[in-house]
Amino acid sequence: MASNLTKVIQNARKKHTATVFFLHGLGDSGNGWAPVTEEMGYTLEHVKFILPDAPIRPVAVNGGARMRAWYDIYALSNAEDILKQRLDDEGVLLSVASVNRLIRDEIDAGIPSNRIVIGGFSQGAAVGITIGLLSEYPFAGIIGLSGYVPLKEKTFTMATDANKNTPIFLGHGDCDEILPYQIGKLSYELIKSRGYPVTFKTYNGMGHHTSQKEIKDMISFLQEVIPDQNSEKI
């Protein structure tokens, strides 16, 4: 059953005309990314940021310890094994449903889906990418940082055409010690092979975290897909 998620909300600094949903990684929370999105908000003054908190659940790879997680992880290994191993498909889809509730609320409040971007980091990126590909709403953009396509080929048997032309931005560090760089590259190639307009950026020397360069690139991407409509009227 889909959960009612808690969330961090950062309101737009001026007239609100676009919204970005950004999902955190394993064991983190919306507050973990709040300083990053707050910094981005100084450039993207028309954007509201919504940072949902994943439910607290046992995570097998961490000995069953309870933490915020979008889905269970059974093991961490090399890129090829991660793409082949058993995954908590049900957990992924439940998180998709939970975040979709928040997205529907935002649309009902007056922000059209083509002014909404869905994104995330690591496990949050995996869920965010899945939301984008499966959604019936056409979004402005999809962002995946240090993530992958968790349901692999199965994703595309469930995908709609709503975001077939939606720009997708993927970024990954080539020194990622948690989710190997190759898994990001393979996921990019999988999405590209299905005809989606996807961009993949490599960050040299970056581990399993973000960087000022990646944040700058993310801001540039958002300026392209959800430009400030307030300035257009001046």
Side-chain angles (χ1 to χ4, degrees), residues 22-26 70-71 119-129 143 145:
F22 197 87
L23 282 56
H24 63 79
L26 177 67
W70 295 109
Y71 52 90
F121 172 79
S122 190
Q123 205 188 46
V127 172
I129 291 167
I143 294 173
L145 308 183

Side-chain angles (χ1 to χ4, degrees), residues 49-197:
F49 291 91
I50 298 178
L51 314 174
D53 297 318
I56 296 173
R57 68 180 74 206
V59 176
V61 74
N62 288 333
R66 293 178 63 82
M67 63 188 66
R68 292 199 182 277
W70 295 109
Y71 52 90
D72 198 4
I73 296 179
Y74 304 124
L76 288 176
S77 51
N78 62 47
E80 288 76 10
D81 287 346
I82 288 173
L83 289 176
K84 292 176 183 176
Q85 71 187 18
R86 183 171 67 99
L87 189 86
D88 179 17
D89 291 18
E90 181 181 359
V92 173
L93 294 175
L94 282 173
S95 285
V96 166
S98 295
V99 177
N100 275 337
R101 283 184 178 180
L102 300 182
I103 294 171
R104 280 194 297 273
D105 288 346
E106 194 68 4
I107 293 171
D108 290 344
I111 298 297
S113 66
N114 64 3
R115 295 289 294 171
I116 292 175
V117 173
I118 178 73
F121 172 79
S122 190
Q123 205 188 46
V127 172
I129 291 167
T130 305
I131 290 169
L133 297 180
L134 269 54
S135 181
E136 295 179 0
Y137 294 116
F139 295 125
I142 300 166
I143 294 173
L145 308 183
S146 303
Y148 63 109
V149 182
L151 304 183
K152 304 167 282 271
E153 295 287 351
K154 183 178 177 181
T155 306
F156 301 96
T157 67
M158 299 184 288
T160 70
D161 288 332
N163 289 294
K164 194 71 178 179
N165 297 311
T166 298
I168 302 172
F169 174 87
L170 303 179
H172 216 112
D174 64 359
C175 292
D176 194 321
E177 68 284 7
I178 302 297
L179 281 174
Y181 170 76
Q182 192 61 20
I183 193 174
K185 196 71 184 296
L186 289 170
S187 293
Y188 157 70
E189 290 169 356
L190 176 61
I191 295 170
K192 185 179 179 182
S193 73
R194 296 306 181 112
Y196 291 85

